[in-house]
């Protein structure tokens, strides 16, 4: 007996590598075997340590067992700079600048899964180089209202488009050994009162509109982490919500990864134990405010959890389940010795940011072929507007970045036309002259004390003497614009920009309006402006990306991922549903009375009111012609398939990309259904005169709706239509068929 004890003591004194390798360290062993081996070696205190934060952005490992801690980082548009251990303030590093990639609205506007894969891979390489284990993104909350300050971080109004675009992002990111943490699960569709909004939504809308992208992220993307949202559902905060976390996420979808709380999203120890998250971050506890020696021990899943176990009020089954999921995350990320090294601020990453940005820019209007700008004819270009010079990578909330470089639209245009045309600039309006977020300072001095009248007068004078005028305005990332924890006050542009545009339109008929935003805006001047471009927060390569489109180096191919309404009352969330625009401390019940009729699903039902620009809309510098679509059969069975094919020809004089869209219409159903729903899309590149056959395979899933009484997806036998379109309002052809 003494000999056995001595042997164990000697083994414990040896370096870990000199002992027989434990199963959990053997990466050739099955993941679940490694998880169980590590779990049985951990003490109760060690188990509790790994399920809550140890700093602002990290959670503890198990040093005794050589199990690494987990480091998270805000995303999803780039790797945020380092902050102090216990503070939001900057850590003061000089080597934590990054490449800023386009906002996710821009990525969605590419309608190109290949761009999504490139995006995920590129940002994953930067996160890996910085030794991050979890990137807090991407976001896939549905665009319900254009007032949501955080829409720019999401992928638009359609669940199918979001689903198809989020999967490759996750795959590209996780190929670097960095976990995607898909957010914000679920029903986080506005920012005001986000901590105390109780969403009331029917199951059809929940399953058909608000959950599909998360389901695709879990089941197809194999996401290793999900972030719970701040809001409530069915009267319970989502971070401790049985229906969303236990029944749907872990039950129906079989999610085996971790659920990470949004920072401060946990509110109750008992509920968090029974139905909650696996890793708790950012909780606002008495321990933090009272200055405990280790405030993190006062988190809901720390000492309060330990005390309940010691008192026999709860067992350790739930704890072991949480730790299993955390260990899976560790073995996939921080304990994965085979992950790539990564890279930071490489030219390849800047090139990726520019390519994605250019594919996402949308040409909304181009009467008289004002665009592209012909530098053989145009010798003087007037650029007007604050957004032509304002840095957009700083601000907006948790996606704010510290960049190595950010090229402004004005500088991008100047560099592109250097030696060929003169560029003159006028401010036009003053919006937000500041430029700081969480200690990151742009260094720009944008203060201007001139009156609006003086600024407009200068802009008009400059415009009159130019061959073409480019107004670059829109929103910014300040509170009340496109920004976390705040929503917009209305649909119209701020800072008197409408007056500036109206004056410019009168001064020069060759006017291009470039709207930089992550949201739709009202355009009272739309009929007076010949060319309109929807730009986005493109990041480090904002200037070159936009200049390439304006000058025709790149043929625009972006398509809108959400509907542009004429007025706010045309949005169903405001006309039929409920939206909170004032802050309150009390719980606010918000009813989604519009149900499944979000975005173009609502617009399709309207007879008199048409959108300003429809979902899926986007022009190019060439033209396309569609043939008559055909199907390989007139009927299909529930377990069968049907293929629809259409010929698309480039009838213009330059190469371009067309986004061919497939919508499905159910001609008669037991429950109400939209007029049509997006169920497929392909982006095809065509040379002048070239024709390609574009095919879509239709299966039962594309025909199904969620029956909330049966709690199952149903495809009713009957007549359907496959609709080929260039946008939700531009139908090119229909193919009737029947489901037997």
């Amino acid at each position: 007996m003494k000999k056995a004890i001595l042997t164990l003591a000697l083994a414990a004194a040896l370096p870990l590598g000199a002992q027989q390798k434990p199963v959990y360290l053997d990466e050739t062993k099955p993941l679940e075997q490694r998880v169980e081996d590590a779990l049985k070696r951990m003490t109760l205190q060690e188990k509790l340590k790994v399920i809550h934060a140890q700093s602002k952005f990290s959670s503890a490992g198990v040093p005794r067992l050589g199990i690494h801690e987990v480091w998270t980082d805000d995303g999803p548009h780039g790797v945020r700079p380092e902050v102090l251990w216990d503070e939001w303030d900057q850590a003061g590093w000089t080597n934590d600048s990054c490449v800023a990639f386009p906002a996710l609205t821009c990525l969605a506007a590419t309608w190109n899964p290949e761009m999504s894969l490139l995006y995920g891979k590129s940002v994953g390489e930067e996160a890996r180089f910085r030794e991050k284990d979890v990137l807090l993104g991407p976001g896939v909350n549905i665009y319900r209202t254009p007032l949501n300050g955080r829409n720019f971080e999401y992928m638009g109004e359609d669940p199918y488009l979001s689903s198809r675009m989020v999967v490759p992002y996750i795959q590209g990111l996780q190929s670097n050994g960095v976990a995607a943490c898909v957010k914000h699960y679920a029903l986080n569709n506005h920012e005001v009162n986000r901590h105390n909004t109780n969403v009331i939504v029917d199951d059809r809308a929940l399953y058909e509109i608000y959950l599909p992208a998360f389901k695709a992220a879990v089941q197809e993307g194999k996401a290793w982490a999900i972030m719970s949202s701040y809001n409530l559902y069915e009267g319970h905060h989502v971070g401790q919500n049985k229906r969303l976390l236990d029944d749907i996420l872990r039950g129906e979808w079989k999610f085996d990864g971790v659920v990470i709380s949004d920072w401060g999203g946990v509110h109750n120890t008992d509920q968090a134990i029974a139905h909650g998250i696996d890793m708790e971050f950012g909780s606002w506890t008495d321990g933090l405010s009272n200055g405990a020696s280790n405030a993190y021990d006062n988190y809901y899943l720390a000492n309060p959890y330990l005390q309940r176990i010691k008192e026999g009020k709860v067992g350790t089954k739930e704890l072991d389940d949480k730790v299993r999921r955390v260990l899976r995350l560790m073995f996939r990320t921080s304990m994965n010795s085979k992950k790539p090294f990564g890279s930071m601020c490489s030219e390849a990453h800047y090139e990726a940011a520019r390519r994605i940005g250019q594919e996402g820019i949308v040409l909304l209007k181009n009467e008289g072929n004002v665009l592209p700008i012909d530098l053989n004819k145009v010798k003087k270009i007037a650029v007007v507007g604050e957004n032509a010079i304002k840095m957009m990578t700083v601000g907006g909330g948790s996606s704010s970045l510290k960049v190595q470089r950010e090229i402004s639209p004005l500088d991008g245009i100047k560099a592109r036309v250097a030696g060929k045309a003169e560029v003159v600039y006028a401010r036009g309006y003053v919006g937000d002259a500041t430029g700081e977020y969480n200690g990151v300072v742009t260094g720009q001095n944008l203060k201007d004390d001139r009156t609006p009248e003086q600024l407009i007068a200068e802009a008009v004078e400059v415009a009159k003497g130019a061959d073409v005028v480019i107004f670059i305005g829109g929103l910014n990332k300040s509170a009340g614009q496109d920004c976390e924890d705040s929503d917009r006050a209305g649909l119209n542009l701020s800072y008197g920009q409408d007056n500036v545009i109206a004056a410019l339109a009168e001064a020069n008929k060759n006017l291009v309006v470039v709207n930089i935003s992550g949201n739709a805006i009202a355009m009272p001047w739309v009929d007076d402006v010949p060319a309109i471009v929807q730009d986005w927060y493109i990041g480090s390569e904002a200037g070159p990306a936009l200049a390439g489109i304006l000058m025709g180096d790149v043929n625009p191919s972006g398509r809108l991922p959400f509907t542009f309404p004429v007025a706010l009352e045309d949005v169903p969330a405001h006309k039929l549903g409920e939206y909170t625009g004032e802050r309150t401390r009390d719980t606010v019940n918000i009813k989604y009375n519009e149900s499944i009729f979000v975005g173009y699903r609502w617009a399709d039902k309207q007879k008199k009111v048409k959108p300003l620009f429809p979902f899926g809309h986007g022009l190019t510098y060439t033209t396309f012609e569609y043939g008559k679509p055909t199907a390989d059969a007139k009927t299909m069975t529930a377990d069968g398939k049907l293929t629809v094919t259409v010929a698309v020809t480039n009838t213009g004089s330059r190469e371009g990309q067309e986004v061919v869209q497939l919508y499905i219409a159910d001609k008669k159903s037991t429950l109400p259904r939209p007029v049509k729903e997006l169920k497929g899309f392909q982006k095809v590149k065509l040379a002048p005169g070239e024709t390609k056959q574009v095919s879509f395979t239709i299966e039962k899933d594309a025909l199904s709706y969620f029956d909330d009484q049966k709690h199952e997806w149903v495809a009713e036998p009957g007549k359907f239509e496959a609709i080929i379109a260039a946008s939700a309002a531009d139908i090119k052809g229909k193919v009737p068929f029947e489901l037997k």
Side-chain angles (χ1 to χ4, degrees), residues 15-28:
L16 194 59
Q19 304 175 36
Q20 183 178 2
K21 181 183 285 188
V23 172
Y24 71 88
L25 288 178
D26 188 347
E27 294 180 81
T28 66

Side-chain angles (χ1 to χ4, degrees), residues 156-463:
E157 71 185 28
D158 184 72
Y160 182 85
L161 176 62
S162 297
S163 297
R164 301 282 54 82
M165 294 301 290
V166 73
V167 168
Y169 181 112
I170 295 166
Q171 293 169 337
L173 175 63
Q174 293 187 168
S175 69
N176 289 281
V178 178
C181 183
V182 185
K183 61 187 187 184
H184 302 88
Y185 181 77
L187 301 166
N188 184 180
N189 305 110
H190 62 263
E191 287 295 291
V192 173
N193 298 321
R194 59 181 178 168
H195 293 280
N196 54 328
T197 289
N198 179 47
V199 175
I200 301 173
V201 61
D202 62 88
D203 268 11
R204 282 201 68 195
L206 181 69
Y207 275 83
E208 292 185 25
I209 304 296
Y210 297 102
L211 293 186
F214 289 104
K215 182 179 180 181
V218 168
Q219 295 189 334
E220 299 177 55
K222 307 297 181 184
W224 295 336
I226 292 285
M227 179 182 286
S228 61
S229 57
Y230 282 130
N231 52 282
L232 298 87
Y233 168 66
E234 294 186 339
H236 298 282
H237 281 95
V238 175
Q240 46 203 46
N241 192 290
K242 180 180 184 299
R243 177 88 192 282
L244 288 176
L245 298 185
D246 290 347
D247 297 347
I248 297 175
L249 181 62
R250 296 176 181 129
E252 295 176 16
W253 300 349
K254 309 301 180 188
F255 177 59
D256 73 348
V258 299
V259 178
I260 296 176
S261 74
D262 205 341
W263 271 230
V266 180
H267 301 269
N268 180 281
T269 296
D270 294 312
Q271 291 181 27
I273 291 170
H275 309 299
I277 49 86
D278 303 308
M279 300 180 79
E280 176 189 2
F281 281 86
S283 290
W284 302 309
T285 65
D286 288 341
L288 285 175
S289 59
N290 293 339
S293 59
N294 185 3
Y296 298 99
D297 287 340
N298 291 280
Y299 272 30
Y300 295 100
L301 292 181
N303 283 346
Y305 195 172
L306 176 62
Q307 192 63 30
R308 283 163 173 75
I309 293 173
K310 288 182 174 179
E311 293 173 355
K313 295 180 179 179
V314 297
T316 58
K317 179 182 181 300
E318 295 87 356
L319 175 60
D320 285 349
D321 285 342
K322 294 178 191 295
V323 176
R324 281 188 182 94
R325 291 189 280 268
V326 173
L327 285 169
R328 281 191 202 107
L329 176 69
M330 290 171 163
F331 292 144
R332 287 164 169 165
T333 59
S334 64
M335 293 290 288
N336 175 10
S337 68
K338 297 179 174 60
K339 53 183 177 282
F341 290 113
S343 56
M344 195 82 184
C345 295
S346 68
E347 285 308 309
H349 292 169
Y350 284 112
E351 171 70 9
R354 184 190 56 76
R355 283 184 60 199
I356 295 163
Q358 285 182 326
E359 278 220 26
I361 293 174
V362 184
L363 179 60
L364 295 177
K365 182 181 179 183
N366 192 25
E367 290 182 354
N369 294 321
V370 175
L371 293 174
I373 295 171
D374 186 348
L375 293 177
N376 292 318
K377 300 177 181 178
V378 171
K379 297 306 175 185
K380 189 171 185 179
I381 300 171
V383 177
V384 179
E386 181 176 281
N387 282 3
I389 60 173
K390 184 177 176 63
M391 283 185 67
M392 293 293 188
T393 53
V394 176
S398 63
S399 63
S400 179
L401 297 171
K402 175 183 173 183
V403 294
Q404 186 186 54
R405 74 177 190 230
E406 177 182 349
I407 303 173
S408 71
L410 178 60
D411 286 342
I413 292 169
K414 284 182 174 180
R416 173 60 184 83
V417 305
K420 298 178 181 179
E422 179 188 0
V423 178
V424 291
Y425 174 73
R427 183 69 174 267
Y429 69 95
V430 177
D432 185 353
T434 63
E436 180 178 355
Y437 187 84
N438 269 148
V440 177
V441 182
T442 65
Q444 289 184 303
N445 181 7
L446 299 182
K447 185 178 180 182
D448 194 321
D449 294 327
R450 288 177 291 174
T451 66
E453 293 75 18
Q454 289 173 319
L455 290 164
I456 291 177
E458 179 197 41
V460 167
E461 189 64 27
V462 166

Side-chain angles (χ1 to χ4, degrees), residues 549-711:
I549 293 290
L550 296 178
M551 305 305 156
D553 303 328
V554 176
N555 197 344
S557 64
R559 302 293 185 269
L560 289 179
F562 50 79
T563 304
F564 269 59
V566 174
L568 198 59
E569 53 265 29
D570 299 336
V571 178
H574 296 269
K575 187 174 182 67
L576 298 181
E578 295 178 346
Y579 163 77
T580 179
E582 297 181 4
R583 293 190 182 273
T584 176
R585 293 183 178 181
D586 300 323
T587 299
V588 183
N589 291 321
I590 300 297
K591 297 179 181 179
Y592 287 20
N593 292 325
E594 71 278 9
S595 185
I596 61 175
F597 295 100
V598 176
Y600 70 88
R601 289 167 170 81
W602 170 254
D604 280 350
K605 292 177 62 178
Q606 309 311 301
K607 302 299 182 183
K608 297 180 180 179
V609 180
K610 300 299 180 184
L612 184 64
F613 296 106
F615 171 80
H617 171 73
L619 306 176
T620 75
Y621 297 148
T622 189
T623 53
F624 297 97
E625 185 177 283
Y626 286 67
K628 183 179 180 181
T630 60
D632 61 354
K634 294 183 179 180
T635 63
M636 65 176 283
T637 59
D639 58 352
K641 300 178 181 180
L642 185 143
T643 300
V644 173
T645 302
V646 62
V648 182
T649 303
N650 183 344
T651 54
S653 59
R654 61 178 295 171
E655 182 181 79
Q657 295 188 90
E658 174 72 329
V659 178
V660 185
Q661 301 164 37
L662 169 73
Y663 296 82
I664 296 293
D666 188 347
K667 304 310 291 182
K668 185 178 181 181
S669 61
T670 301
L671 297 180
R673 298 199 70 177
V675 174
K676 64 180 185 294
E677 296 181 279
L678 182 72
K679 294 298 178 182
F681 61 89
Q682 287 188 42
K683 196 167 196 176
V684 291
K685 181 180 289 186
L686 296 168
E690 184 181 7
T691 299
K692 285 185 179 178
Q693 302 291 327
V694 179
S695 295
F696 298 96
T697 299
I698 300 170
E699 300 184 49
K700 177 184 175 182
D701 287 352
L703 313 181
S704 302
Y705 65 85
F706 189 80
D707 189 321
D708 53 353
Q709 297 301 313
K710 297 179 180 179
H711 195 78

Side-chain angles (χ1 to χ4, degrees), residues 73-122:
D73 190 274
D74 265 323
H77 306 143
V79 185
R80 281 190 76 188
E82 304 296 332
V83 297
L84 297 174
W85 185 262
D86 278 322
E87 306 293 338
W88 292 108
D89 295 337
Q90 293 296 294
W93 289 22
T94 57
N95 62 344
D96 57 347
S97 298
C98 70
V99 173
F101 295 88
L104 292 188
T105 41
C106 180
L107 176 61
T110 69
W111 288 62
N112 188 346
E114 290 181 8
M115 289 296 100
S116 188
L117 182 65
L118 174 64
Y119 194 124
K121 179 177 180 294
S122 301

